[in-house]
Amino acid sequence: MAETLLFNALREAIDEEMGRDDTVFVLGEDVGVYGGSYKVTKDLYDKYGELRVLDTPIAENSFTGMAVGAAMTGLRPIIEGMNMGFLLLAFNQIANNAGMLRYTSGGNYKIPMVIRGPGGVGRQLGAEHSQRLEAYFQAVPGLKIVACSTPYNAKGLLKAAIRDDNPVLFFEHVLLYNLKEDLPNHEYVVPLDKAEIVRPGKDVTILTYSRMRHHVTQAVKGLEKKGLDPEVIDLISLKPLDFDTIGASIKKTHRVIIVEECMKTGGIGAEIIASINDRYFDELDAPVVRLSSQDIPTPYNGKLETLTIVQPKQIEAAVENMVALKV
Amino acid sequence: MVQERTLPQFQASAAQISPEEGLRLYEDMVLGRFFEDKCAEMYYRGKMFGFVHLYNGQEAVSSGVIKSLRSDDYVCSTYRDHVHALSAGVPAKNVMAELFGKETGCSRGRGGSMHLFSSEHNMLGGFAFIGEGIPVALGAAFQSRYRRDALGDPSADQVTACFFGDGTSNNGQFFECLNMAALWKLPILFVVENNKWAIGMAHERATSQPEIYKKASVFGMPGVEVDGMDVMAVREVAQQAVARARAGEGPTLIEALTYRFRGHSLADPDELRSKAEKEAWLARDPIKRFEAYLLEHSLVDEGALKAVRDRIQTTIDDALTFAEESPEPSPDDLYKYIFAED
């Protein structure tokens, strides 16, 4: 076991997969000589050379399309979005070509590529650098969407994403890169399509992902002191959703709270609620509650920013109210 | 009518071509023309749906470029992609079946007119949004260089030909990809088919510098203009560009001056282009011109040309029968091909 920072866990995953398969390469802004804005590709340029760790011009839509073409012809590109928000500029290539081309081509081509990088609300980065594109991209057919949350799952999930034959949007969180965890010395891969039961419990199911997992964990400490026993599930896969795990939990607790960092309108939680209504309505003892970010551009001011995203105290209160059936 | 650009002169008489090669080019152009004429007929008879963009008039570009490639090279097209697919070797029956939405279509009936794909023929696709095929083509070219230089495979010398129109040359992806192709010396041909009109937008009204080939120079890339109604001229510049790309010397921008003989799509009333302009370009029909060239140089006789036309007519008739008789995709397969495992 070795204590590893999350950004280094990602780096190890990329390094191991590049060593294992020479068709794997990284491209993006400042991934090479500079080593990546969050040092996820540090020193890989020296190790693998300028074609396998390719510094691109600032042309998101075009280098994303280039990765699609490389994937169609047998390579396995990993795009680093310096900030995932920048990939709004690549929306066309991600949606039309990464997501839909396999279907549109009638199965002629597969597109094994990973698009990874920091998303989420950081510390006073302003609206454009604080986006949660997972909600925008969830309607695109053909994409897998994954959010990591710990050094352990970051490494194992990224390895699985690189090996996957489909386009995977892989969300890291800008405030989680320095999380530390002891990682196994042996190689491991974490499946992309399985939610993680962070804490088993019986009173209520809390569905969350990315940084909000840690806000939930903080809230749970307070709830435990009050004698409550929530079940916490990190969704990991935002598309497709792991309804085996979600459903089993609902059948046990009959109550659901969703805690997410995306905005409420058109968010991941909105989709989950609709699906729960389709599948598990009879299991519910209470309406599903979702705690989401406010439907506003993330403000720069620190106090306003704090008000924009869900805080642990709000999660605690929501769980208490639900268990007391004061939803 | 806007003042026509002076077409670059090409000394066709000095060009060398064997009778076999001449007939091969002729056959490819005739295939393109007959196929598109049949599409128009089927569309108006209600057998074909959606947006259908025909290539009539531009055949010399597809044949001149793609027939200068090897079968393991790559072709990337636009929404006007039927003839590029045919030149790349996708059988006419599979293209026709795609337009009929059949399971035997090259995209298994999922793509349609603007989305023709064939991995077997390295046809990277028809791309329906303006410019979006250029980065994809760039990726195929990058892949060739990656295999050669990062993986040390000396046989990885495949070239990619990327087609698009004059309207696309004002789009950011065009400039971004020219930059990257030149920067990394990628083996790619950017082939602009300047047919003067982006639906109803005249090229001169859309761009500050109508001579598109000149835009290559700021990227340090060779840019050439060519008479896109002369297959011998197109072939000449394509061969040079392919040789340069294959030798690792990087990309070329080719601007082929051409004209579409029909409207933008079969739904376009085509009211803006003047009669005089259309007639001037119809007089340059690339197929008639190449027929005259082949006969004048005694490379073939009229009987050989007629034999080609008869053979292609049979190919088209067979393709139509194949498309009509093929099954539609099964409703059970509605979700098939979303993911690689499907």
Side-chain angles (χ1 to χ4, degrees), chain A residues 22 52 62 103 106 108-109 166, chain B residues 106 108 123 146 176 334 340:
Chain A
D22 59 16
R52 296 196 66 196
S62 290
Y103 189 92
N108 263 287
Y109 291 98
N166 298 288
Chain B
C106 58
R108 296 190 174 84
M123 172 68 186
Y146 184 96
E176 291 175 358
L334 186 61

Side-chain angles (χ1 to χ4, degrees), chain A residues 22 24-25 52 55 61-62 65-66 69 72-73 92-93 96-97 101-109 142 166, chain B residues 106-108 110-111 117 119 123-124 129 132 135-136 139 143 146-147 151 173 176 334 336-337 339-341:
Chain A
D22 59 16
V24 175
F25 74 104
R52 296 196 66 196
D55 279 318
N61 200 39
S62 290
M66 186 181 112
M72 288 169 69
T73 52
N92 180 68
Q93 290 292 348
N96 276 350
N97 293 333
L101 187 147
R102 176 173 173 75
Y103 189 92
T104 306
S105 76
N108 263 287
Y109 291 98
N166 298 288
Chain B
C106 58
S107 306
R108 296 190 174 84
R110 273 71 166 180
F117 294 88
S119 52
M123 172 68 186
L124 296 168
F129 279 16
E132 67 171 351
V136 174
Q143 168 264 165
Y146 184 96
R147 287 189 198 280
L151 305 187
Q173 291 169 101
E176 291 175 358
L334 186 61
K336 200 172 177 183
Y337 307 125
F339 291 112
E341 297 74 19

Side-chain angles (χ1 to χ4, degrees), chain B residues 49-231:
Chain B
F49 309 95
F51 294 120
V52 178
H53 309 83
L54 301 185
Y55 194 73
N56 297 49
Q58 303 182 205
E59 295 88 350
V61 185
S62 182
S63 300
V65 172
I66 297 175
K67 292 303 173 191
S68 300
L69 299 175
R70 288 194 322 231
S71 63
D72 62 337
D73 290 330
Y74 295 91
V75 172
C76 190
S77 183
T78 65
Y79 51 85
R80 199 180 304 283
D81 57 350
H82 306 174
V83 177
H84 295 142
L86 295 171
S87 293
V90 184
K93 62 179 187 174
N94 301 115
V95 179
M96 191 66 84
E98 185 60 33
L99 303 180
F100 276 64
K102 299 298 182 73
E103 180 68 23
T104 54
C106 58
S107 306
R108 296 190 174 84
R110 273 71 166 180
S113 170
M114 301 183 279
H115 300 290
L116 302 176
F117 294 88
S118 177
S119 52
E120 183 190 343
H121 302 92
N122 283 354
M123 172 68 186
L124 296 168
F127 291 87
F129 279 16
I130 289 301
E132 67 171 351
I134 305 178
V136 174
L138 192 81
F142 175 80
Q143 168 264 165
S144 297
R145 201 191 145 202
Y146 184 96
R147 287 189 198 280
R148 196 188 65 206
D149 293 336
L151 305 187
D153 176 0
S155 72
D157 63 349
Q158 291 76 17
V159 170
T160 298
C162 177
F163 294 88
F164 48 94
D166 46 279
T168 304
S169 72
N170 301 311
N171 183 279
Q173 291 169 101
F174 168 72
F175 296 102
E176 291 175 358
C177 290
L178 254 59
N179 176 48
M180 286 189 271
L183 185 67
W184 299 324
K185 282 193 180 302
L186 300 184
I188 186 167
L189 277 58
F190 297 103
V191 184
V192 188
E193 300 190 54
N194 182 353
N195 63 20
K196 304 188 64 189
W197 291 84
I199 307 187
M201 186 65 164
H203 180 54
E204 290 78 8
R205 293 181 59 225
T207 193
S208 55
Q209 168 49 282
E211 292 174 292
I212 299 167
Y213 73 100
K214 289 185 175 171
K215 300 181 189 196
S217 67
V218 296
F219 299 99
M221 179 191 305
V224 287
E225 67 173 343
V226 63
D227 180 351
M229 309 303 270
D230 181 351
V231 71

Side-chain angles (χ1 to χ4, degrees), chain B residues 223-337:
Chain B
V224 287
E225 67 173 343
V226 63
D227 180 351
M229 309 303 270
D230 181 351
V231 71
M232 290 295 287
V234 175
R235 173 176 170 265
E236 176 81 12
V237 298
Q239 285 177 342
Q240 289 174 11
V242 169
R244 198 159 45 235
R246 221 181 289 292
E249 293 166 22
T252 304
L253 174 63
I254 297 171
E255 180 186 8
L257 300 171
T258 184
Y259 201 71
R260 53 174 159 76
F261 289 169
R262 293 176 180 272
H264 166 72
S265 74
L266 289 174
D268 172 18
D270 191 21
E271 292 163 340
L272 295 174
R273 303 189 302 170
S274 72
K275 190 160 179 278
E277 179 181 291
K278 287 182 202 175
E279 281 173 358
W281 284 90
L282 272 168
R284 296 176 181 148
D285 186 319
I287 295 179
K288 288 190 182 139
R289 182 166 171 176
F290 193 48
E291 281 173 358
Y293 173 87
L294 291 170
L295 295 172
E296 270 169 31
H297 291 77
S298 303
L299 288 161
V300 298
D301 59 21
E302 176 53 40
L305 298 180
K306 182 173 185 309
V308 167
R309 291 194 299 268
D310 289 347
R311 188 162 67 248
I312 294 301
Q313 193 55 58
T314 304
T315 301
I316 300 298
D317 293 343
D318 291 349
L320 192 61
T321 304
F322 177 83
E324 285 182 317
E325 292 178 354
S326 287
E328 294 195 37
S330 165
D332 295 341
D333 291 338
L334 186 61
Y335 284 87
K336 200 172 177 183
Y337 307 125

Side-chain angles (χ1 to χ4, degrees), chain B residues 29-58:
Chain B
M29 292 167 73
V30 170
L31 173 64
R33 177 69 58 88
F34 285 16
F35 187 93
E36 298 293 63
D37 284 343
K38 184 58 74 176
C39 286
E41 183 191 331
M42 291 298 112
Y43 181 85
Y44 291 126
R45 282 171 54 184
K47 300 267 190 179
M48 223 175 251
F49 309 95
F51 294 120
V52 178
H53 309 83
L54 301 185
Y55 194 73
N56 297 49
Q58 303 182 205

